[in-house]
Amino acid sequence: MKQAAIPLSGGKGRAGFWYRLKRDLSRNYLIYLLALPALVYYFIYHYWPMYGAVIAFKDFSPAMGIWGSPWAGTKYFQQFFNSAFFIRTLRNTLMISLYSILWSFPAPILLALLMNEIRSTLFKRTVQTVTYMPHFISTVVICGMLIDFCSMNGLFNSFTQLLGMEAFNFLMKPELFRTIYIASGIWQEVGWGSIIYLAALTSIDASLYEAARIDGAGRFRQMTSITLPGIAPTIVIMLILRMGQVMNVGFEKIMLLYNPATYEVADVISTFVYRKGIVEANYSYSAAVGLFNSVINFVLVVTTNWVSRHVGDGENSLW
């Protein structure tokens, strides 16, 4: 007589989910206790506040509260889509993000590859220290430095005057704003961003380089045939995470650098939400814009992950 098979899924069998969870909790309760503060933090400060997104569909009044305020449906979404600011903020957000991906994303990879070729340990550590340091300067200080450098009597005009050009305020030129924003971001984050790629480089088997040298491969061929394929999974994962931030252009830096003369090229969704929600106290409208922004980011992350999973060997994806 055959014994009935124990189900591998469900909550009734010995191998069911709830049984396995209970057994794992009893065996590794100390590890779960260590993870509990992080779980509580994310629940309180990241998941629980999500219920407040409902004000995007309400005529929210602080006096009436979230659930006491009347429903407004999609009125605020329609107002945003039909406003003159929709095209401008969406265009500026996408342009700055795409330029950042085009220039800022490869920069840490190139720096890591170059530092990997340095044989002098002292020189390599010096380069790492110099490139890491700007990351620890606050955004306010960075923007203060840029404002001083771009002023009429600033550092940049000292160079332009040597070339015979007239002095001008760089931050008052709309055509220069995105260049200043992206270039300063590369300078501030390139060293810090290279850390993860340098760590990925250490996982490449050194015997591969020895075999390549025996076969006559030079340094450039070793980099293209061994180094880049070796860190490709890390590059793909970082690109997926970066795509999830396409619509989240940091408003702190833009708020500190832009002015009415550059609104046309610098005003992004996050700064628009700030003005509508904090300055004008139009909470429902700003919540609707912010929710739209978050949905687009979510779609971009899922799409990029799907593409990376179905291209190549199918292993370079988050899920």
Side-chain angles (χ1 to χ4, degrees):
M1 183 176 180
K2 294 183 179 181
Q3 186 177 0
I6 298 175
L8 297 178
S9 61
K12 294 182 179 180
R14 284 181 54 82
F17 171 76
W18 295 112
Y19 170 79
R20 287 183 281 111
L21 178 61
K22 181 179 178 181
R23 184 179 60 181
D24 194 56
L25 285 172
S26 62
R27 290 181 176 179
N28 306 302
Y29 66 94
L30 291 177
I31 297 177
Y32 284 100
L33 285 177
L34 289 174
L36 184 61
L39 296 175
V40 171
Y41 166 79
Y42 275 97
F43 176 77
I44 294 177
Y45 294 103
H46 293 270
Y47 289 99
W48 177 251
M50 284 184 181
Y51 87 96
V54 74
I55 67 175
F57 304 94
K58 285 176 170 277
D59 286 317
F60 176 69
S61 171
M64 301 176 67
I66 294 179
W67 299 112
S69 300
W71 289 96
T74 59
K75 179 178 74 174
Y76 294 105
F77 291 93
Q78 295 174 9
Q79 287 183 8
F80 177 57
F81 296 150
N82 295 327
S83 69
F85 297 102
F86 173 67
I87 297 298
R88 187 178 80 176
T89 56
L90 183 61
R91 181 189 67 240
N92 292 338
T93 302
L94 290 176
M95 291 294 289
I96 292 177
S97 291
L98 292 178
Y99 284 149
S100 297
I101 292 175
L102 180 62
W103 297 104
S104 301
F105 184 78
I109 302 174
L110 294 176
L111 180 61
L113 293 175
L114 291 174
M115 286 196 293
N116 188 56
E117 297 298 323
I118 297 175
R119 295 294 177 258
S120 173
T121 304
L122 178 61
F123 182 69
K124 184 175 182 178
R125 290 178 178 177
T126 303
V127 172
Q128 288 177 318
T129 303
V130 172
T131 55
Y132 293 170
M133 286 177 64
H135 171 80
F136 299 99
I137 304 175
S138 69
T139 302
V140 175
V141 175
I142 290 290
C143 292
M145 294 169 60
L146 288 174
I147 292 172
D148 289 338
F149 292 164
C150 295
S151 64
M152 296 290 290
N153 300 318
L155 179 64
F156 296 159
N157 274 307
S158 299
F159 290 105
T160 58
Q161 288 175 342
L162 291 176
L163 300 175
M165 301 172 60
E166 294 184 359
F168 61 92
N169 192 323
F170 283 74
L171 289 177
M172 296 296 290
K173 297 287 186 178
E175 62 273 18
L176 296 178
F177 181 85
R178 292 171 182 164
T179 302
I180 295 172
Y181 179 89
I182 294 170
S184 61
I186 294 175
W187 169 71
Q188 187 178 9
E189 298 295 339
V190 65
W192 185 258
S194 66
I195 293 176
I196 190 169
Y197 299 109
L198 288 171
L201 288 171
T202 61
S203 64
I204 300 177
D205 190 354
S207 62
L208 296 176
Y209 293 102
E210 296 177 3
R213 285 193 294 270
I214 293 174
D215 291 338
R219 283 195 174 184
F220 183 78
R221 184 60 185 273
Q222 292 176 35
M223 182 183 67
T224 56
S225 300
I226 300 175
T227 307
L228 280 176
I231 64 173
T234 303
I235 295 175
V236 171
I237 295 300
M238 296 303 295
L239 180 60
I240 294 173
L241 296 175
R242 180 63 184 84
M243 290 301 296
Q245 301 174 359
V246 164
M247 302 293 285
N248 287 344
V249 178
F251 80 96
E252 299 95 343
K253 189 174 180 180
I254 292 181
M255 284 286 295
L256 293 169
L257 292 179
Y258 78 163
N259 54 72
T262 57
Y263 276 171
E264 190 61 32
V265 297
D267 192 23
V268 294
I269 290 178
S270 57
T271 56
F272 182 70
V273 169
Y274 171 80
R275 291 200 307 274
K276 283 292 182 181
I278 304 300
V279 178
E280 300 180 15
N282 195 342
Y283 304 114
S284 295
Y285 189 95
S286 62
V289 178
L291 185 59
F292 162 77
N293 194 38
S294 299
V295 170
I296 297 299
N297 278 331
F298 176 76
V299 172
L300 288 173
V301 168
V302 173
T303 303
T304 308
N305 187 78
W306 182 88
V307 171
S308 65
R309 190 173 67 246
H310 288 80
V311 173
D313 55 11
E315 297 181 356
N316 299 330
S317 61
L318 286 176
W319 66 89

